[in-house]
Amino acid sequence: MTEQGKTMKPIQFRHLVRAGEFRKPTAGVCGGYAQANLVILPDAQAHDFLRFAQRNPKACPLLAVGEPGAWHLPALGADLDLRTDVPGYYVYRDGELAETPASLAGFWRDDLVAFAIGCSFSFEEMLLAAGIPLRHIEQDRNIAMYRTNIPNEAAGPFAGNMVVSMRPLTARDAIRAIQITSRFPAVHGAPVHLGDPRLIGIADLARPDYGDAVEVMADEVPVFWACGVTPQEAIRAARLPFVITHRPGYMLVTDVPNTSLAML
């Protein structure tokens, strides 16, 4: 990501995406503003998904919920179009990933309800400001994400296990990262685990289920945060006829300042 992209205003970045000029992961984009995961599904399943998110706030902290058929979320940004302003989408049919469109032209329906879920990319600006290096940003890679054995609380057809994102940190930086991220529950808050990945069901850090692997150095520990890709695992298990999500790591950039999400 160029320095311009890091300092660009969210509305400028969304227009760049809308024009088809940005199709990469959004880590490091528009420092200072919250990013969001997306789940878009028919109104018939929206109530069950809302209950699922409310029962699993660590992985699914809700930032906004749309009205049926609405492709805008005014609480998250001016001139925001959910159909075009995300760098990559997934379309699931009967629980299987069916398509990876660049926009939702031809997919949008009047019964679709959009859920915006907090993203850990949002607190990375605070970690960087504290002098904590983040390897996936340094190497211009997508964050590494893993399926775990941590069960979600079920609601209707939605269940499955939590997905986590991983950042390798020194012990000193890990302690500081816990202190910083604990203040931001709206974007996953404090880590759910650090240390041995096998304890949460991850066999091999070199083989993430989503995103790109990064090396964990000898003086570092892997630190794991709950991840907004968790609903995609629940969607797979529910085998719903039709659901749209963001492509993991390819987020909706909002106008919401990260500082507004902090708990005092």
Side-chain angles (χ1 to χ4, degrees):
M1 168 52 42
T2 65
E3 201 62 37
Q4 180 186 15
K6 293 177 182 178
T7 59
M8 189 178 290
K9 293 295 184 183
I11 192 169
Q12 295 173 310
F13 177 74
R14 292 196 298 272
H15 286 174
L16 194 70
V17 174
R18 193 178 302 177
E21 297 176 12
F22 188 97
R23 292 287 182 259
K24 299 196 304 181
T26 54
V29 165
C30 297
Y33 294 91
Q35 299 191 28
N37 304 269
L38 280 183
V39 172
I40 303 169
L41 40 62
D43 190 32
Q45 288 90 41
H47 181 66
D48 280 337
F49 185 79
L50 177 61
R51 290 190 300 120
F52 176 78
Q54 291 172 333
R55 291 176 181 180
N56 298 280
K58 194 73 174 172
C60 305
L62 287 174
L63 296 180
V65 181
E67 294 293 327
W71 43 260
H72 55 281
L73 291 171
L76 299 186
D79 190 23
L80 184 154
D81 191 331
L82 297 176
R83 303 169 299 180
T84 58
D85 294 357
V86 174
Y89 300 91
Y90 276 0
V91 175
Y92 289 93
R93 299 185 189 276
D94 299 319
E96 299 295 331
L97 179 60
E99 297 173 74
T100 57
S103 81
L104 298 181
F107 293 93
W108 198 265
R109 301 177 355 192
D110 290 341
D111 68 331
L112 294 179
V113 178
F115 294 81
I117 295 169
C119 172
S120 61
F121 286 173
S122 302
F123 61 59
E124 290 183 338
E125 180 211 12
M126 279 71 79
L127 299 183
L128 293 170
I132 298 172
L134 298 173
R135 189 155 299 122
H136 64 288
I137 292 180
E138 293 174 345
Q139 297 180 353
D140 195 24
R141 296 185 179 184
N142 199 355
I143 189 79
M145 294 162 275
Y146 304 86
R147 300 182 179 107
T148 73
N149 59 12
I150 303 171
N152 299 315
E153 185 174 345
F158 301 103
N161 291 339
M162 183 184 291
V163 175
V164 294
S165 60
M166 189 278 292
R167 295 160 181 82
L169 301 173
T170 64
R172 180 176 180 176
D173 285 344
I175 293 170
R176 184 67 180 129
I178 293 169
Q179 294 171 331
I180 292 169
T181 59
S182 294
R183 298 182 58 234
F184 293 90
V187 288
H188 302 303
V192 296
H193 182 70
L194 70 164
D196 190 347
R198 294 171 296 181
L199 296 177
I200 56 172
I202 301 171
D204 186 356
L205 289 179
R207 300 179 64 184
D209 296 295
Y210 303 94
D212 303 320
V214 293
E215 186 177 0
V216 180
M217 304 300 183
D219 64 339
E220 295 174 330
V221 294
V223 185
F224 302 91
W225 277 266
C227 179
V229 176
T230 297
Q232 301 199 25
E233 291 298 300
I235 288 163
R236 288 178 184 272
R239 303 194 67 81
L240 301 180
F242 180 74
V243 184
I244 299 167
T245 73
H246 68 295
R247 181 176 176 180
Y250 295 60
M251 317 305 296
L252 174 68
V253 177
T254 79
D255 293 349
V256 178
N258 288 322
T259 52
S260 72
L261 301 176
M263 290 185 63
L264 299 178

